Amino acid sequence: MANLKSIVLDDAKLLNRYYDKRALSSLPQHSGQPFRFGQVQWADDLIEMIDGKPSVKPISATLASLQNVFHSNDAVFTYKNGEIFVRATIPSGTIAEGDSKQFSALGFLDNENELIAVCVTQPVWVYSDRSLVVEATIRTNIA
């Protein structure tokens, strides 16, 4: 009998932590730092095999961390009409010569280094002579 599960090519989710922190940061009695996006994490995570093909796993809204993180760096964030646009880059030379990493998940940390959003895509190999640019859209309006 064939597997009835469909292959999922990509997915993105703002985690519960994002909404909680955004709400708490907006309260008048909030005395901490303003809530901000921080660095992004490059990882090999949230992929399962279905009938021999990679598929994106469901992203839990309570996910606390990504597995197999191999790089962290800054990204460029912009916002327009309920959407956060992200451009993240791994320049060539980031991965050590002779090494390679499989990338499938981009995690978004806040200014307290906690995971607040995740984008997942089909696996891509990254190595010392290869750069990789990921452009993602995070929809903040739930409609």
Side-chain angles (χ1 to χ4, degrees), residues 8 17 35-37 43 58 61 69 72 78 82 84 101 103-105 112 116 125:
V8 178
R17 192 173 300 102
F35 172 65
R36 302 266 190 263
F37 274 80
V69 173
S72 297
T78 56
I84 298 169
K101 302 292 183 187
F103 163 75
S104 60
E112 296 177 331
I116 56 173
W125 285 98

PDB file of all heavy atoms in Angstrom, residues 8 17 35-37 43 58 61 69 72 78 82 84 101 103-105 112 116 125:
ATOM      1  N   VAL A   8       5.822  17.866   1.134  1.00  0.00           N
ATOM      2  CA  VAL A   8       5.724  19.300   1.411  1.00  0.00           C
ATOM      3  C   VAL A   8       7.057  19.923   1.011  1.00  0.00           C
ATOM      4  O   VAL A   8       8.115  19.506   1.494  1.00  0.00           O
ATOM      5  CB  VAL A   8       5.416  19.565   2.900  1.00  0.00           C
ATOM      6  CG1 VAL A   8       5.371  21.056   3.180  1.00  0.00           C
ATOM      7  CG2 VAL A   8       4.106  18.889   3.299  1.00  0.00           C
ATOM      8  N   ARG A  17       6.229  31.943  20.752  1.00  0.00           N
ATOM      9  CA  ARG A  17       7.144  32.832  21.467  1.00  0.00           C
ATOM     10  C   ARG A  17       7.175  34.221  20.811  1.00  0.00           C
ATOM     11  O   ARG A  17       7.278  35.238  21.491  1.00  0.00           O
ATOM     12  CB  ARG A  17       8.544  32.202  21.479  1.00  0.00           C
ATOM     13  CG  ARG A  17       9.526  32.838  22.407  1.00  0.00           C
ATOM     14  CD  ARG A  17      10.840  32.041  22.468  1.00  0.00           C
ATOM     15  NE  ARG A  17      10.628  30.673  22.937  1.00  0.00           N
ATOM     16  CZ  ARG A  17      10.589  29.595  22.147  1.00  0.00           C
ATOM     17  NH1 ARG A  17      10.769  29.703  20.861  1.00  0.00           N
ATOM     18  NH2 ARG A  17      10.392  28.400  22.653  1.00  0.00           N
ATOM     19  N   PHE A  35      11.433  44.361  21.896  1.00  0.00           N
ATOM     20  CA  PHE A  35      11.497  43.076  21.197  1.00  0.00           C
ATOM     21  C   PHE A  35      11.996  43.302  19.777  1.00  0.00           C
ATOM     22  O   PHE A  35      11.480  44.143  19.054  1.00  0.00           O
ATOM     23  CB  PHE A  35      10.101  42.456  21.190  1.00  0.00           C
ATOM     24  CG  PHE A  35       9.981  41.229  20.350  1.00  0.00           C
ATOM     25  CD1 PHE A  35      10.674  40.083  20.667  1.00  0.00           C
ATOM     26  CD2 PHE A  35       9.155  41.219  19.244  1.00  0.00           C
ATOM     27  CE1 PHE A  35      10.556  38.944  19.892  1.00  0.00           C
ATOM     28  CE2 PHE A  35       9.026  40.087  18.469  1.00  0.00           C
ATOM     29  CZ  PHE A  35       9.731  38.947  18.791  1.00  0.00           C
ATOM     30  N   ARG A  36      13.030  42.550  19.377  1.00  0.00           N
ATOM     31  CA  ARG A  36      13.628  42.704  18.051  1.00  0.00           C
ATOM     32  C   ARG A  36      14.029  41.352  17.481  1.00  0.00           C
ATOM     33  O   ARG A  36      14.337  40.426  18.222  1.00  0.00           O
ATOM     34  CB  ARG A  36      14.915  43.536  18.117  1.00  0.00           C
ATOM     35  CG  ARG A  36      14.753  44.917  18.689  1.00  0.00           C
ATOM     36  CD  ARG A  36      14.540  45.930  17.579  1.00  0.00           C
ATOM     37  NE  ARG A  36      14.608  47.274  18.085  1.00  0.00           N
ATOM     38  CZ  ARG A  36      13.547  47.991  18.420  1.00  0.00           C
ATOM     39  NH1 ARG A  36      12.353  47.494  18.332  1.00  0.00           N
ATOM     40  NH2 ARG A  36      13.675  49.221  18.855  1.00  0.00           N
ATOM     41  N   PHE A  37      14.064  41.275  16.167  1.00  0.00           N
ATOM     42  CA  PHE A  37      14.675  40.128  15.509  1.00  0.00           C
ATOM     43  C   PHE A  37      16.179  40.247  15.699  1.00  0.00           C
ATOM     44  O   PHE A  37      16.735  41.349  15.683  1.00  0.00           O
ATOM     45  CB  PHE A  37      14.364  40.122  14.002  1.00  0.00           C
ATOM     46  CG  PHE A  37      13.068  39.454  13.659  1.00  0.00           C
ATOM     47  CD1 PHE A  37      11.861  40.134  13.806  1.00  0.00           C
ATOM     48  CD2 PHE A  37      13.048  38.153  13.181  1.00  0.00           C
ATOM     49  CE1 PHE A  37      10.668  39.521  13.477  1.00  0.00           C
ATOM     50  CE2 PHE A  37      11.848  37.532  12.848  1.00  0.00           C
ATOM     51  CZ  PHE A  37      10.658  38.215  13.001  1.00  0.00           C
ATOM     52  N   ALA A  43      20.547  25.617   9.522  1.00  0.00           N
ATOM     53  CA  ALA A  43      20.519  24.281  10.107  1.00  0.00           C
ATOM     54  C   ALA A  43      20.060  23.228   9.101  1.00  0.00           C
ATOM     55  O   ALA A  43      19.482  23.549   8.056  1.00  0.00           O
ATOM     56  CB  ALA A  43      19.584  24.268  11.314  1.00  0.00           C
ATOM     57  N   PRO A  58       5.982  19.057   9.744  1.00  0.00           N
ATOM     58  CA  PRO A  58       5.194  20.140  10.351  1.00  0.00           C
ATOM     59  C   PRO A  58       6.040  20.893  11.383  1.00  0.00           C
ATOM     60  O   PRO A  58       6.823  20.285  12.117  1.00  0.00           O
ATOM     61  CB  PRO A  58       4.037  19.400  11.034  1.00  0.00           C
ATOM     62  CG  PRO A  58       3.950  18.080  10.337  1.00  0.00           C
ATOM     63  CD  PRO A  58       5.357  17.742   9.926  1.00  0.00           C
ATOM     64  N   ALA A  61       4.394  25.056  16.792  1.00  0.00           N
ATOM     65  CA  ALA A  61       4.348  26.455  17.233  1.00  0.00           C
ATOM     66  C   ALA A  61       5.122  26.668  18.531  1.00  0.00           C
ATOM     67  O   ALA A  61       5.421  27.801  18.901  1.00  0.00           O
ATOM     68  CB  ALA A  61       2.902  26.900  17.418  1.00  0.00           C
ATOM     69  N   VAL A  69      22.469  22.976  13.838  1.00  0.00           N
ATOM     70  CA  VAL A  69      22.803  24.349  13.436  1.00  0.00           C
ATOM     71  C   VAL A  69      24.286  24.382  13.101  1.00  0.00           C
ATOM     72  O   VAL A  69      25.126  23.960  13.890  1.00  0.00           O
ATOM     73  CB  VAL A  69      22.485  25.357  14.562  1.00  0.00           C
ATOM     74  CG1 VAL A  69      22.984  26.751  14.195  1.00  0.00           C
ATOM     75  CG2 VAL A  69      20.981  25.371  14.857  1.00  0.00           C
ATOM     76  N   SER A  72      25.521  30.815  12.207  1.00  0.00           N
ATOM     77  CA  SER A  72      24.624  31.910  12.609  1.00  0.00           C
ATOM     78  C   SER A  72      25.218  33.205  12.079  1.00  0.00           C
ATOM     79  O   SER A  72      26.434  33.384  12.092  1.00  0.00           O
ATOM     80  CB  SER A  72      24.506  31.998  14.130  1.00  0.00           C
ATOM     81  OG  SER A  72      23.927  30.842  14.661  1.00  0.00           O
ATOM     82  N   THR A  78      13.057  43.655   6.339  1.00  0.00           N
ATOM     83  CA  THR A  78      12.213  44.795   5.990  1.00  0.00           C
ATOM     84  C   THR A  78      10.756  44.389   6.233  1.00  0.00           C
ATOM     85  O   THR A  78      10.442  43.201   6.338  1.00  0.00           O
ATOM     86  CB  THR A  78      12.402  45.239   4.526  1.00  0.00           C
ATOM     87  OG1 THR A  78      12.160  44.135   3.663  1.00  0.00           O
ATOM     88  CG2 THR A  78      13.818  45.765   4.295  1.00  0.00           C
ATOM     89  N   GLY A  82       2.062  43.928   6.505  1.00  0.00           N
ATOM     90  CA  GLY A  82       1.853  42.679   7.225  1.00  0.00           C
ATOM     91  C   GLY A  82       2.817  41.566   6.880  1.00  0.00           C
ATOM     92  O   GLY A  82       2.608  40.418   7.278  1.00  0.00           O
ATOM     93  N   ILE A  84       7.034  40.408   6.741  1.00  0.00           N
ATOM     94  CA  ILE A  84       8.443  40.654   7.026  1.00  0.00           C
ATOM     95  C   ILE A  84       9.230  39.971   5.918  1.00  0.00           C
ATOM     96  O   ILE A  84       9.063  38.766   5.685  1.00  0.00           O
ATOM     97  CB  ILE A  84       8.848  40.084   8.398  1.00  0.00           C
ATOM     98  CG1 ILE A  84       8.051  40.768   9.511  1.00  0.00           C
ATOM     99  CG2 ILE A  84      10.352  40.248   8.624  1.00  0.00           C
ATOM    100  CD1 ILE A  84       8.199  40.099  10.864  1.00  0.00           C
ATOM    101  N   LYS A 101      27.880  21.087   4.298  1.00  0.00           N
ATOM    102  CA  LYS A 101      26.751  21.063   5.223  1.00  0.00           C
ATOM    103  C   LYS A 101      25.474  21.018   4.408  1.00  0.00           C
ATOM    104  O   LYS A 101      25.362  21.658   3.357  1.00  0.00           O
ATOM    105  CB  LYS A 101      26.727  22.322   6.106  1.00  0.00           C
ATOM    106  CG  LYS A 101      27.973  22.538   6.934  1.00  0.00           C
ATOM    107  CD  LYS A 101      28.109  21.491   7.999  1.00  0.00           C
ATOM    108  CE  LYS A 101      29.335  21.770   8.859  1.00  0.00           C
ATOM    109  NZ  LYS A 101      29.605  20.714   9.810  1.00  0.00           N
ATOM    110  N   PHE A 103      21.722  22.197   4.211  1.00  0.00           N
ATOM    111  CA  PHE A 103      20.849  23.250   4.747  1.00  0.00           C
ATOM    112  C   PHE A 103      19.401  22.934   4.390  1.00  0.00           C
ATOM    113  O   PHE A 103      19.100  22.579   3.256  1.00  0.00           O
ATOM    114  CB  PHE A 103      21.223  24.614   4.145  1.00  0.00           C
ATOM    115  CG  PHE A 103      20.149  25.643   4.308  1.00  0.00           C
ATOM    116  CD1 PHE A 103      19.931  26.236   5.534  1.00  0.00           C
ATOM    117  CD2 PHE A 103      19.329  25.980   3.245  1.00  0.00           C
ATOM    118  CE1 PHE A 103      18.907  27.161   5.701  1.00  0.00           C
ATOM    119  CE2 PHE A 103      18.309  26.906   3.391  1.00  0.00           C
ATOM    120  CZ  PHE A 103      18.100  27.503   4.620  1.00  0.00           C
ATOM    121  N   SER A 104      18.510  23.086   5.368  1.00  0.00           N
ATOM    122  CA  SER A 104      17.075  22.952   5.100  1.00  0.00           C
ATOM    123  C   SER A 104      16.221  23.887   5.957  1.00  0.00           C
ATOM    124  O   SER A 104      15.061  24.113   5.634  1.00  0.00           O
ATOM    125  CB  SER A 104      16.613  21.506   5.303  1.00  0.00           C
ATOM    126  OG  SER A 104      16.847  21.098   6.636  1.00  0.00           O
ATOM    127  N   ALA A 105      16.783  24.415   7.054  1.00  0.00           N
ATOM    128  CA  ALA A 105      15.972  25.234   7.962  1.00  0.00           C
ATOM    129  C   ALA A 105      16.705  26.519   8.333  1.00  0.00           C
ATOM    130  O   ALA A 105      17.884  26.500   8.666  1.00  0.00           O
ATOM    131  CB  ALA A 105      15.646  24.451   9.228  1.00  0.00           C
ATOM    132  N   GLU A 112      17.164  38.180  22.399  1.00  0.00           N
ATOM    133  CA  GLU A 112      17.545  37.390  23.578  1.00  0.00           C
ATOM    134  C   GLU A 112      17.986  35.983  23.163  1.00  0.00           C
ATOM    135  O   GLU A 112      18.043  35.080  23.980  1.00  0.00           O
ATOM    136  CB  GLU A 112      16.374  37.326  24.559  1.00  0.00           C
ATOM    137  CG  GLU A 112      16.010  38.691  25.123  1.00  0.00           C
ATOM    138  CD  GLU A 112      14.794  38.656  26.041  1.00  0.00           C
ATOM    139  OE1 GLU A 112      13.915  37.787  25.857  1.00  0.00           O
ATOM    140  OE2 GLU A 112      14.736  39.495  26.947  1.00  0.00           O
ATOM    141  N   ILE A 116      12.135  32.411  17.372  1.00  0.00           N
ATOM    142  CA  ILE A 116      10.811  33.019  17.262  1.00  0.00           C
ATOM    143  C   ILE A 116      10.119  32.718  15.931  1.00  0.00           C
ATOM    144  O   ILE A 116       8.919  32.935  15.793  1.00  0.00           O
ATOM    145  CB  ILE A 116      10.859  34.545  17.482  1.00  0.00           C
ATOM    146  CG1 ILE A 116      11.837  35.204  16.518  1.00  0.00           C
ATOM    147  CG2 ILE A 116      11.191  34.860  18.934  1.00  0.00           C
ATOM    148  CD1 ILE A 116      11.829  36.723  16.532  1.00  0.00           C
ATOM    149  N   TRP A 125      22.903  21.482  -0.465  1.00  0.00           N
ATOM    150  CA  TRP A 125      24.263  21.329   0.052  1.00  0.00           C
ATOM    151  C   TRP A 125      25.020  22.644  -0.072  1.00  0.00           C
ATOM    152  O   TRP A 125      24.944  23.323  -1.086  1.00  0.00           O
ATOM    153  CB  TRP A 125      25.003  20.223  -0.690  1.00  0.00           C
ATOM    154  CG  TRP A 125      24.532  18.872  -0.264  1.00  0.00           C
ATOM    155  CD1 TRP A 125      23.631  18.074  -0.895  1.00  0.00           C
ATOM    156  CD2 TRP A 125      24.899  18.182   0.931  1.00  0.00           C
ATOM    157  NE1 TRP A 125      23.419  16.923  -0.171  1.00  0.00           N
ATOM    158  CE2 TRP A 125      24.188  16.962   0.956  1.00  0.00           C
ATOM    159  CE3 TRP A 125      25.762  18.466   1.993  1.00  0.00           C
ATOM    160  CZ2 TRP A 125      24.314  16.036   1.987  1.00  0.00           C
ATOM    161  CZ3 TRP A 125      25.888  17.540   3.010  1.00  0.00           C
ATOM    162  CH2 TRP A 125      25.183  16.348   3.003  1.00  0.00           C
TER     163      TRP A 125
END
